[in-house]
């Protein structure tokens, strides 16, 4: 028996319940871990509300990131033994492999061993944000030294990871946030420049920062009217990578800028990195190297206890978040 978080119908944080259930042993090719920490992601709030790309099957579990200790291994699993310290690369389905539990089971290929000194909280906070940012900036955009990248929704965990990755490869990260309230924190987090999009002219500010070469890439989680000024400031052949849709307003297609600059506007899900073993191996090596040399360091906004999962989800949906939310068990 183990405690798990489930919900029986869609709704707000209050629909989450901690329940005690029988947890079956791992199947062939799976690893079961005793979870010590969870990383929370906006995708989990979307699944809970019924607006995610995956459909919940009630009663539904949820959760994409965990770190803990190997409890048991299924048949045909090699390279792991009970007691190993591990974390989880987010699975393609959190309904099939939910992480919010004392005991959780995952495909062995998504389980990663790492030094114990990394710590459970850090390990639970790293894979979704760094894989998402790496896939966009390095794997797809191919950013290099000196390239300017505009990063929207800059106080989110993924955006903060993108700032760190841009710095690691020598690019110039420009953080876009709605107001000036988080300007100092974003500069301290590594942003070379910060633009308050509700207070400043996005196009003019980006043009002043990037100069005649323009913005090489845009990493956007928002959409909406900002597409026009963002693309107006981009360089010829630049790429805008869209990985979210936070804006409630329609997103215009910037036809003139796309045509005159031969821009690439590309939708992106981290799943395309996770489901490709070769690309995933490169991403994991980059991230683990960055954690080792200190250039990558997850920013944790707040830590909750497992029993506070409802409060953790309320904070997840607030505008107070700056970095990753972690839940410890």
């Amino acid at each position: 028996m183990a405690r798990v978080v489930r919900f029986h119908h869609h709704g707000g944080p209050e629909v989450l319940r901690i329940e005690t259930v029988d947890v079956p042993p791992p199947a062939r090719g799976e690893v079961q871990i005793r979870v010590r920490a969870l990383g929370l992601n906006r995708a989990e709030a979307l699944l809970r509300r019924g607006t995610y790309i995956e459909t919940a099957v009630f009663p539904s579990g949820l959760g994409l990131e965990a770190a803990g200790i190997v409890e048991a291994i299924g048949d045909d699993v090699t390279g792991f033994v009970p007691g190993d310290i591990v974390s989880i690369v987010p699975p393609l389905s959190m309904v099939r492999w939910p992480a919010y539990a004392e005991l959780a089971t995952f495909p062995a290929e998504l389980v990663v061993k790492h030094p114990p000194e990394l710590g459970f909280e850090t390990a639970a906070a790293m894979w979704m944000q760094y894989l998402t940012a790496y896939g966009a900036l390095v794997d797809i955009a191919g950013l290099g030294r000196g390239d300017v990248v505009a990063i929207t929704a800059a106080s989110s965990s993924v955006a903060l990871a993108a700032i760190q990755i841009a710095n690691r490869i020598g690019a110039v990260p420009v953080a876009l946030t709605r107001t000036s309230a988080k300007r100092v924190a974003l500069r301290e987090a590594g942003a070379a420049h910060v633009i308050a999009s509700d207070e400043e002219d996005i196009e003019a500010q980006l043009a002043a920062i990037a100069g005649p070469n323009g913005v090489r890439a845009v990493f956007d989680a928002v959409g909406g009217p900002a597409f026009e000024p963002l693309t107006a400031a981009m360089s010829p052949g630049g790429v805008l990578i869209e990985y979210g849709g936070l804006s409630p307003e329609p997103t215009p297609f910037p036809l003139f800028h796309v045509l005159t600059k031969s821009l690439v506007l590309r939708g992106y899900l981290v799943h395309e990195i996770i489901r490709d073993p070769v690309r995933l191996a490169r991403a994991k090596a980059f991230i683990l190297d960055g954690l080792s040399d200190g250039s990558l360091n997850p920013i944790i906004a707040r830590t909750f206890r497992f029993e506070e999962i409802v409060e953790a989800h309320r904070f997840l949906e607030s505008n107070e978040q700056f970095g990753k939310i972690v839940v410890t068990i």
Side-chain angles (χ1 to χ4, degrees):
M1 303 289 285
R3 293 185 303 164
V4 305
V5 174
R6 299 196 300 186
F7 59 107
H8 295 254
H9 58 87
H10 295 304
E14 68 280 356
V15 304
L16 298 178
R17 297 284 183 268
I18 296 177
E19 303 173 344
T20 300
V21 302
D22 285 318
V23 178
R28 185 183 302 274
E30 292 183 336
V31 174
Q32 189 170 84
I33 73 168
R34 185 160 295 277
V35 177
R36 294 296 181 83
L38 302 165
L40 271 57
N41 298 278
R42 187 170 293 275
E44 291 137 34
L46 296 177
L47 180 74
R48 191 200 71 230
R49 289 193 175 276
T51 56
Y52 189 49
I53 57 175
E54 184 176 17
T55 302
V57 178
F58 299 122
S60 179
L62 70 170
L64 288 163
E65 290 184 281
I69 302 168
V70 172
E71 179 84 1
I73 59 174
D75 292 340
D76 297 337
V77 172
T78 59
F80 297 99
V81 296
D84 282 343
I85 306 297
V86 297
S87 57
I88 307 304
V89 170
L92 297 179
S93 168
M94 69 172 120
V95 173
R96 171 65 181 83
W97 293 289
Y100 288 12
E102 291 178 321
L103 282 177
T105 304
F106 302 93
E109 62 269 20
L110 299 182
V111 181
V112 183
K113 288 195 292 189
H114 45 66
E117 55 264 26
L118 187 61
F120 290 119
E121 292 184 20
T122 298
M126 67 186 194
W127 287 115
M128 177 63 87
Q129 60 178 323
Y130 287 122
L131 283 173
T132 303
Y134 170 91
L137 303 191
V138 180
D139 186 275
I140 295 172
L143 284 183
R145 183 168 296 278
D147 286 338
V148 176
V149 54
I151 301 166
T152 68
S155 60
S156 72
S157 61
V158 172
L160 292 170
I163 289 170
Q164 293 181 7
I165 287 175
N167 283 323
R168 187 167 195 261
I169 60 180
V172 181
V174 181
L176 278 76
T177 185
R178 289 192 306 107
T179 72
S180 299
K182 297 176 181 177
R183 186 184 298 273
V184 172
L186 285 166
R187 289 300 299 268
E188 291 175 348
H193 306 273
V194 178
I195 297 173
S197 58
D198 287 355
E199 304 168 7
E200 301 176 89
D201 184 314
I202 295 174
E203 180 182 349
Q205 291 296 315
L206 285 174
I209 292 165
N213 291 331
V215 174
R216 173 71 179 79
V218 174
F219 186 42
D220 182 50
V222 181
F227 254 44
E228 285 286 347
L230 286 170
T231 53
M234 291 175 67
S235 63
V239 56
L240 185 153
I241 299 170
E242 189 67 29
Y243 73 102
L246 296 177
S247 175
E249 300 180 63
T251 300
F253 182 75
L255 179 63
F256 177 78
H257 302 310
V258 170
L259 287 176
T260 58
K261 300 182 182 183
S262 300
L263 300 180
V264 175
L265 306 185
R266 190 190 193 285
Y268 166 63
L269 291 175
V270 70
H271 292 170
E272 65 183 88
I273 303 298
I274 293 170
R275 65 164 56 98
D276 185 325
V278 175
R279 295 167 77 186
L280 179 59
R282 287 198 296 260
K284 286 162 63 176
F286 179 96
I287 293 165
L288 290 172
D289 286 348
L291 290 166
S292 178
D293 65 27
S295 59
L296 303 183
N297 183 27
I299 296 172
I300 296 177
R302 188 169 167 185
T303 301
F304 292 83
R305 293 179 292 107
F306 190 65
E307 296 78 11
E308 299 175 309
I309 191 64
V310 172
E311 290 80 1
H313 263 244
R314 288 198 180 106
F315 188 69
L316 179 65
E317 294 188 331
S318 74
N319 290 322
E320 301 172 35
Q321 186 179 347
F322 190 89
K324 193 80 167 186
I325 300 170
V326 173
V327 171
T328 59
I329 301 179

